[in-house]
C-alpha cells in the first residue's frame, strides 16, 4: 500500500498545476458566478445580496423563456440531424469509392470555419433578397419561398441549418473512424448468412458503434449548449428576440445590459440544468466500462 | 458560460502582472466607429492627435452599437489594463466605472478649457457625475432623424412629406411603385430609434420626457403615446422581406441607392450619405419631425480616460482630451461624422442644411430632449427594446398589448 502511494507521488506532483488551474479557473469562477447571482451587481461585481430576486426576475423575463425553449429545440434537432447526416455520409464514404480523400476533405472543410463565418455565410444564403430565394426567383421559379431567417417562428431552425452544415463533417469523420474499426469478419459472416447491408448496419454496426456515437453526441451537445457566435452572425437573436439562446442572453446581460447579477443567475441555471441532465449521463457512458473491467 | 467570468478573473491576474508598457505619448483608444462615414470621422481625431505630438493607437471594435467595444473595454479597465481612452455614449453606461474610481477626474481640464461655457446644458450634465467632470464630450447626435431618397420619391411620383398624413401617402406611393418604402431593420436598437422618433414627433416633448424621464405610467397610457405606438406598428406594412437582421449602414445604403424610400435613423446616417458623395436637397432629404412638435433627442459620444499608473499615458490623455475638444478638430470631426459639434462657439458656416437645422434645435432649450438611454440604465433601455422587437415581429401585436408589455419594461430600474 505504502509502495503504491510512493509510486503515485510523481504523477500527482506533475498534475498539481492542472489541479490548481481547475480549482481556481474553473471551480473558483463557477462559485464566484453563483455568488454573483445572489447579488445586485450591475456593471461591476459587488457584494450586495438580494436573495433570489435575480432568479425571480429571470423566470418572468420573456427573453429568457424564449431562450430556454430555443436551446432545447436547437440542441435536440442539431444533434439528431448532424448524427443522421454525418452517419449517412460516413456510410457513403465507406463504400470503397474513388477519391475518398478528396471528398472527405471537402465534407470536413466547413468544420474548419469559425461559427462567425458559418453564420455570416448562411445569413447571406438565407436572406430572401440575396441568397437562395433570390437565386431561385432569378432562375424563373417565382413561387419559391424560403424566409426562415425573417420569420420569428422559424428563425431558430435556420440556425440549425448552419450548425448542421458546419458540424456534420466532424460527425462524419468520427463515424467513419467508427465504421473502419468494425471487424471485417463481421461483414464476411453477414455476407455468408445473406443478410442485407442495411440490416447489418442497423442491427450490428450501429450497436457496435455506441462509444463512437456517444463521443459525437457529447461533442455536438457541448457545442449546442454554448451556441453563441453562430446565432450572433446568423440572426442576431432575431427577428425580435425569437432566436435568442441562453449563451446570447447571458453575454447580453453581462455586457450590453450591464446587469451582472441577472446574467450570473442565468449562468447558474444553465450550470444546474447541464449538471442534472448531462453529467450523470456522461458519467454512465464513460466510466461504466471501466468499473466493469476492474 | 463559466468561461466568461473565468476569462475575467484569469485576465485580471494576467494583466496585473504584465501591466501596461506604453512609451512616449502613445494612446490606445477604444471606439466602435467602423462604418465608412465613422471611420473617416475618427481618422480626423487620429490626424489631429498625431499632429499635436501624440501617437494614436486605434482599437476599433465593430458591432452592436458599441456592445462589443464595451465588452472588451470594461473588463480591461476592471482588470487593471485600461485603454488610454474609451468611447461611451451619453447615458448611464459608465456610471459604475465612475463610482468605483476607475476614471480620471477631468475638472481641471474642463475649467482650463472652458468646457461649461462652450457646451449646451444637456451635454454638460451628461459628462458630470456628482458635480465632477468625468468625460470629454465630442459631439451631439440627434437620434430623431429621417432620411429620404429623392430619387425614390420621384420614381414613385411622391413629394417630400411635410406632415404625418403625407408621410403615409408617400409610403403608399412608394409601395405601389415597387420600391421598399421604409429601409427598416429588425435589430432592436434600430427599432428604438424609429420608435423614439415617432414618440417625439407624434406625442411631443412633454410626453416623451414624462415617459422616459419620469417613468410615468399615466403618460404611457395617454392617447398621445398610443398614437405614436400605432404609427410604429403601422410601419410594419411598409418594410421588405430582408429586414430582420439588417445593419443600419446597409439600410442607409438602400436609401442612398434609391432602392428604399426612407430610413428613420440618427444623424450618424448622414455620415454614410456624405461618404457616398451625396448632398442634401439634390440627392436626399433630411427631416427631424413631421408635426409642429419640434424637438431634438440628444445623444452623443464622449470619451472617458481611465486612471493610469503610467505617467506617459496620463500625459497622452491630457493631450488627447484637449485635441478632441479643440475648435478645429470639433469642426473637422463632426462634418464627417454627421453630428453637431459639442462646442457652440465654433465656425458653423461649413455645416450643411441638415446640420444647420440641428444646430438651431440644439441651441434652443425648449427643443432639447434627453434620449431614453440618457435617463435609463442599459438594462431598462434594452428591456424596452425587447418589447419593441417582440411587438414588431408579432403579427398579433396591438397598441394595447404593446402598452401592457411596455410598462413593466419601463419600470425595470424602479
Amino acid at each position: 500500500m505504502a509502495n503504491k502511494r510512493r509510486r503515485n507521488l510523481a504523477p500527482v506532483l506533475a498534475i498539481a498545476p492542472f489541479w490548481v488551474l481547475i480549482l481556481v479557473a474553473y471551480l473558483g469562477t463557477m462559485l464566484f458566478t453563483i455568488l454573483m447571482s445572489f447579488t445586485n451587481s450591475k456593471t461591476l461585481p459587488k457584494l450586495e445580496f438580494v436573495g433570489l430576486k435575480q432568479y425571480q426576475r429571470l423566470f418572468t423575463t420573456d427573453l429568457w423563456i424564449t431562450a430556454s425553449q430555443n436551446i432545447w429545440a436547437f440542441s435536440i434537432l442539431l444533434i439528431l440531424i448532424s448524427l443522421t447526416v454525418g452517419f449517412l455520409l460516413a456510410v457513403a464514404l465507406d463504400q470503397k469509392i474513388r477519391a475518398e480523400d478528396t471528398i472527405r476533405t471537402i465534407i470536413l472543410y466547413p468544420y474548419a470555419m469559425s461559427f462567425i463565418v458559418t453564420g455570416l455565410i448562411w445569413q447571406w444564403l438565407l436572406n430572401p433578397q440575396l441568397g437562395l430565394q433570390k437565386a431561385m426567383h432569378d432562375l424563373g421559379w417565382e413561387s419559391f419561398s424560403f424566409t426562415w431567417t425573417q420569420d420569428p417562428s422559424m428563425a431558430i431552425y435556420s440556425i440549425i441549418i448552419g450548425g448542421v452544415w458546419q458540424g456534420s463533417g466532424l460527425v462524419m469523420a468520427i463515424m467513419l473512424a467508427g465504421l473502419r474499426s468494425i471487424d471485417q469478419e463481421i461483414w464476411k459472416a453477414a455476407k455468408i448468412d445473406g443478410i442485407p447491408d442495411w440490416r447489418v448496419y442497423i442491427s450490428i454496426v450501429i450497436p457496435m458503434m455506441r462509444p463512437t456515437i456517444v463521443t459525437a453526441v457529447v461533442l455536438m451537445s457541448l457545442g449546442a449548449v454554448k451556441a453563441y457566435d453562430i446565432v450572433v452572425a446568423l440572426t442576431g437573436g432575431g427577428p425580435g428576440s425569437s432566436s435568442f439562446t441562453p449563451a446570447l442572453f447571458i453575454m447580453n446581460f453581462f455586457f450590453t445590459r450591464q446587469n451582472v447579477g441577472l446574467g450570473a443567475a442565468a449562468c447558474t441555471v444553465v450550470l444546474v440544468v447541464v449538471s442534472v441532465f448531462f453529467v450523470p449521463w456522461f458519467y454512465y457512458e464513460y466510466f461504466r466500462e471501466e468499473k466493469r473491467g476492474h | 458560460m463559466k468561461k466568461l467570468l473565468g476569462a475575467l478573473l484569469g485576465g485580471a491576474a494576467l494583466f496585473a502582472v504584465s501591466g501596461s508598457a506604453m512609451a512616449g505619448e502613445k494612446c490606445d483608444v477604444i471606439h466602435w466607429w467602423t462604418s465608412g462615414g465613422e471611420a473617416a470621422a475618427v481618422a480626423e481625431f487620429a490626424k489631429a492627435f498625431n499632429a499635436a505630438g501624440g501617437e494614436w493607437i486605434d482599437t476599433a471594435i465593430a458591432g452592436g452599437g458599441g456592445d462589443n467595444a464595451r465588452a472588451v473595454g470594461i473588463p480591461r479597465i476592471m482588470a487593471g489594463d485600461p485603454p488610454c481612452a474609451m468611447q461611451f455614449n451619453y447615458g448611464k453606461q459608465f456610471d459604475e466605472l465612475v463610482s468605483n474610481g476607475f476614471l480620471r477626474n477631468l475638472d481641471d481640464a474642463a475649467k482650463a478649457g472652458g468646457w461649461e461655457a462652450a457646451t449646451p446644458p444637456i451635454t454638460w450634465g451628461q459628462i458630470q457625475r456628482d458635480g465632477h467632470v468625468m468625460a470629454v464630450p465630442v459631439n451631439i447626435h440627434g437620434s430623431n432623424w429621417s432620411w429620404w431618397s429623392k430619387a425614390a420619391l420621384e420614381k414613385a411620383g411622391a413629394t417630400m412629406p411635410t406632415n404625418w398624413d403625407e408621410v403615409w401617402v408617400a409610403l403608399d406611393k412608394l409601395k405601389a411603385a415597387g420600391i421598399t418604402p421604409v429601409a427598416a431593420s429588425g435589430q432592436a436598437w434600430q427599432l428604438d430609434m424609429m420608435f423614439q422618433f415617432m414618440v417625439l414627433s407624434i406625442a411631443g416633448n412633454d410626453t416623451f420626457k414624462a415617459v422616459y424621464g419620469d417613468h410615468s405610467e399615466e403618460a404611457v397610457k395617454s392617447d398621445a403615446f398610443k398614437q405614436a405606438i400605432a404609427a410604429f406598428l403601422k410601419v410594419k406594412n411598409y418594410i421588405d422581406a430582408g429586414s430582420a437582421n439588417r445593419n443600419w449602414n446597409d439600410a442607409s445604403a438602400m436609401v442612398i441607392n434609391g432602392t428604399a424610400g426612407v430610413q428613420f435613423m440618427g444623424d450618424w446616417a448622414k455620415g454614410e450619405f456624405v461618404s457616398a458623395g451625396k448632398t442634401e436637397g439634390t440627392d436626399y432629404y433630411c427631416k427631424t419631425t413631421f408635426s409642429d412638435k419640434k424637438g431634438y433627442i440628444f445623444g452623443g459620444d464622449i470619451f472617458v480616460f481611465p486612471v493610469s499608473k503610467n505617467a506617459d499615458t496620463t500625459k497622452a490623455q491630457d493631450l488627447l482630451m484637449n485635441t478632441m475638444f479643440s475648435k478645429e478638430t470639433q469642426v473637422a470631426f463632426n462634418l464627417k461624422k454627421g453630428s453637431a459639434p459639442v462646442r457652440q462657439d465654433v465656425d458653423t458656416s461649413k455645416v450643411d442644411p441638415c446640420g444647420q437645422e440641428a444646430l438651431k434645435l440644439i441651441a434652443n432649450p425648449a427643443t432639447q430632449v434627453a434620449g431614453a438611454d440618457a435617463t435609463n440604465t442599459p438594462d431598462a433601455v434594452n428591456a424596452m427594446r425587447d418589447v419593441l422587437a417582440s411587438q414588431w415581429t408579432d403579427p398579433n401585436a396591438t397598441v394595447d398589448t404593446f402598452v401592457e408589455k411596455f410598462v413593466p419594461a419601463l419600470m425595470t430600474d424602479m
Side-chain angles (χ1 to χ4, degrees):
Chain A
M1 196 64 194
N3 191 18
K4 194 180 176 191
R5 197 171 290 158
R6 198 171 312 138
R7 203 179 50 207
N8 283 345
L9 193 64
V12 166
L13 277 180
I15 220 160
F18 296 101
W19 273 111
V20 173
L21 192 74
I22 285 168
L23 285 177
V24 174
Y26 286 83
L27 210 60
T29 49
M30 245 184 240
L31 292 174
F32 181 69
T33 308
I34 296 171
L35 184 72
M36 278 302 118
S37 73
F38 297 108
T39 68
N40 196 17
S41 303
K42 293 285 184 195
T43 314
L44 308 174
K46 64 182 173 202
L47 294 174
E48 207 176 278
F49 291 98
V50 291
L52 290 172
K53 212 183 115 206
Q54 302 289 12
Y55 290 92
Q56 270 169 7
R57 186 177 155 199
L58 183 69
F59 287 113
T60 52
T61 302
D62 288 347
L63 194 60
W64 175 252
I65 294 165
T66 312
S68 42
Q69 285 166 349
N70 278 343
I71 197 65
W72 286 110
F74 178 75
S75 315
I76 292 169
L77 285 173
L78 178 72
I79 293 167
L80 281 180
I81 299 174
S82 299
L83 279 185
T84 315
V85 172
F87 181 75
L88 291 176
L89 285 172
V91 169
L93 273 184
D94 199 30
Q95 307 303 315
K96 302 192 175 62
I97 53 167
R98 222 184 297 170
E100 187 201 310
D101 289 353
T102 315
I103 297 173
R104 203 175 50 206
T105 310
I106 291 172
I107 297 174
L108 193 55
Y109 219 85
Y111 192 69
M113 281 186 211
S114 72
F115 267 133
I116 285 288
V117 176
T118 308
L120 265 179
I121 292 171
W122 284 95
Q123 190 202 329
W124 289 330
L125 281 176
L126 298 180
N127 184 318
Q129 297 189 318
L130 298 172
L132 196 60
Q133 180 175 319
K134 177 150 196 313
M136 289 298 166
H137 286 192
D138 290 350
L139 287 173
W141 187 1
E142 293 285 340
S143 60
F144 182 87
S145 168
F146 194 85
T147 56
W148 282 12
T149 49
Q150 316 294 321
D151 178 352
S153 57
M154 297 307 286
I156 189 74
Y157 303 107
S158 68
I159 302 172
I160 295 175
I161 297 178
V164 167
W165 178 79
Q166 208 247 13
S168 48
L170 176 74
V171 175
M172 177 213 68
I174 297 170
M175 294 287 193
L176 194 57
L179 285 174
R180 293 280 154 86
S181 70
I182 303 278
D183 196 336
Q184 288 301 315
E185 297 300 319
I186 289 170
W187 280 104
K188 286 177 191 162
K191 281 262 153 50
I192 290 167
D193 287 342
I195 303 168
D197 279 358
W198 63 268
R199 191 68 209 274
V200 181
Y201 276 115
I202 289 177
S203 302
I204 302 173
V205 174
I206 291 182
M208 285 183 75
M209 282 174 62
R210 187 187 167 104
T212 312
I213 294 170
V214 169
T215 304
V217 171
V218 169
L219 281 175
M220 294 306 289
S221 54
L222 289 179
V225 170
K226 59 184 187 189
Y228 170 75
D229 27 15
I230 190 169
V231 187
V232 170
L234 221 162
T235 63
S241 43
S242 55
S243 58
F244 254 72
T245 57
L248 188 57
F249 180 95
I250 289 163
M251 290 296 276
N252 202 280
F253 270 85
F254 270 134
F255 296 114
T256 309
R257 306 189 186 208
Q258 301 179 359
N259 190 336
V260 169
L262 194 73
C267 277
T268 310
V269 171
V270 173
L271 177 69
V272 169
V273 172
V274 169
S275 311
V276 167
F277 283 88
F278 289 90
V279 172
W281 181 66
F282 287 1
Y283 191 80
Y284 174 76
E285 288 294 349
Y286 282 117
F287 297 103
R288 188 178 53 137
E289 301 294 325
E290 227 174 285
K291 274 199 186 123
R292 211 182 280 158
H294 282 280
Chain B
M1 316 297 105
K2 307 294 111 181
K3 255 178 154 178
L4 185 66
L5 276 163
L8 283 185
L9 275 191
L14 205 72
F15 285 127
V17 177
S18 66
S20 53
M22 271 181 275
E25 308 239 318
K26 282 184 185 169
C27 192
D28 69 314
V29 187
I30 293 187
H31 63 86
W32 56 85
W33 288 325
T34 50
S35 79
E38 292 174 330
V42 80
E44 292 292 336
F45 275 155
K47 206 167 73 186
F49 183 62
N50 290 343
E55 188 183 340
W56 176 282
I57 300 171
D58 200 63
T59 310
I61 300 170
D67 291 351
N68 302 345
R70 288 190 289 274
V72 171
I74 292 175
R76 269 186 66 185
I77 293 172
M78 285 166 64
D81 174 46
C84 169
M86 180 173 167
Q87 182 195 355
F88 278 95
N89 287 131
Y90 286 20
K92 295 176 179 284
Q93 290 166 351
F94 64 105
D95 281 11
E96 285 194 27
L97 294 178
V98 174
S99 60
N100 284 278
F102 284 119
L103 301 182
R104 271 184 70 186
N105 179 327
L106 310 181
D107 281 346
D108 294 339
K111 204 178 241 174
W115 294 7
E116 181 171 9
T119 55
I122 288 189
T123 302
W124 178 243
Q126 281 294 328
I127 59 169
Q128 289 186 86
R129 295 291 180 277
D130 296 327
H132 296 290
V133 179
M134 302 306 297
V136 59
V138 296
N139 60 10
I140 297 168
H141 269 304
S143 47
N144 56 318
W145 282 95
S146 59
W147 308 93
W148 295 78
S149 162
K150 194 175 172 190
L153 286 172
E154 276 169 4
K155 198 176 156 206
T159 50
M160 178 64 196
T162 53
N163 59 47
W164 276 102
D165 293 335
E166 290 176 23
V167 169
W168 303 120
V169 170
L171 294 184
D172 281 330
K173 281 187 178 166
L174 286 163
K175 197 175 178 179
I179 299 168
T180 302
V182 181
S185 164
Q187 290 181 1
W189 73 271
Q190 296 191 50
L191 292 173
D192 198 17
M193 294 300 116
M194 183 162 75
F195 183 65
Q196 289 187 41
F197 178 97
M198 302 198 163
V199 174
L200 192 76
S201 180
I202 294 173
N205 289 359
D206 293 337
T207 308
F208 189 98
K209 288 175 188 165
V211 171
Y212 291 112
D214 305 332
H215 303 98
S216 154
E217 191 176 335
E218 214 175 301
V220 175
K221 292 182 172 165
S222 68
D223 282 341
F225 195 72
K226 283 182 176 172
Q227 278 170 21
I229 297 170
F232 172 76
L233 294 176
K234 192 174 172 184
V235 174
K236 285 203 268 187
N237 302 322
Y238 298 102
I239 60 172
D240 62 315
S243 70
N245 193 18
R246 178 180 286 143
N247 289 322
W248 70 268
N249 46 338
D250 295 336
S252 303
M254 291 171 70
V255 178
I256 291 170
N257 300 331
T259 55
V262 60
Q263 181 189 19
F264 295 93
M265 182 51 59
D267 56 7
W268 47 93
K270 194 170 76 186
E272 299 300 301
F273 287 86
V274 171
S275 74
K278 303 289 178 187
T279 36
E280 207 275 334
T282 56
D283 302 307
Y284 68 98
Y285 301 112
C286 60
K287 203 139 175 61
T288 54
T289 181
F290 289 102
S291 66
D292 53 355
K293 298 186 172 75
K294 287 200 182 298
Y296 204 64
I297 302 176
F298 271 55
D301 299 291
I302 54 154
F303 277 86
V304 300
F305 298 90
V307 176
S308 171
K309 292 189 200 93
N310 187 325
D312 287 332
T313 304
T314 309
K315 238 193 286 175
Q317 289 175 337
D318 288 335
L319 184 65
L320 181 61
M321 68 184 82
N322 288 321
T323 307
M324 284 176 161
F325 201 74
S326 77
K327 288 184 182 176
E328 301 75 35
T329 324
Q330 274 292 309
V331 173
F333 168 79
N334 283 302
L335 278 178
K336 297 246 167 99
K337 186 73 171 73
S339 47
V342 78
R343 303 183 68 134
Q344 301 195 285
D345 54 357
V346 294
D347 174 21
T348 54
S349 56
K350 284 188 205 154
V351 175
D352 61 28
C354 305
Q356 297 290 358
E357 186 181 345
L359 290 172
K360 260 184 253 159
L361 292 166
I362 288 166
N364 181 359
T367 51
Q368 296 171 352
V369 181
D373 44 2
T375 48
N376 295 277
T377 62
D379 197 9
V381 168
N382 283 288
M384 288 186 262
R385 287 177 181 173
D386 286 345
V387 176
L388 294 183
S390 67
Q391 296 292 301
W392 178 258
T393 49
D394 180 357
N396 302 320
T398 63
V399 172
D400 292 329
T401 60
F402 189 109
V403 169
E404 186 193 324
K405 299 238 175 222
F406 192 81
V407 170
L410 180 66
M411 305 300 171
T412 303
D413 292 339
M414 299 293 105

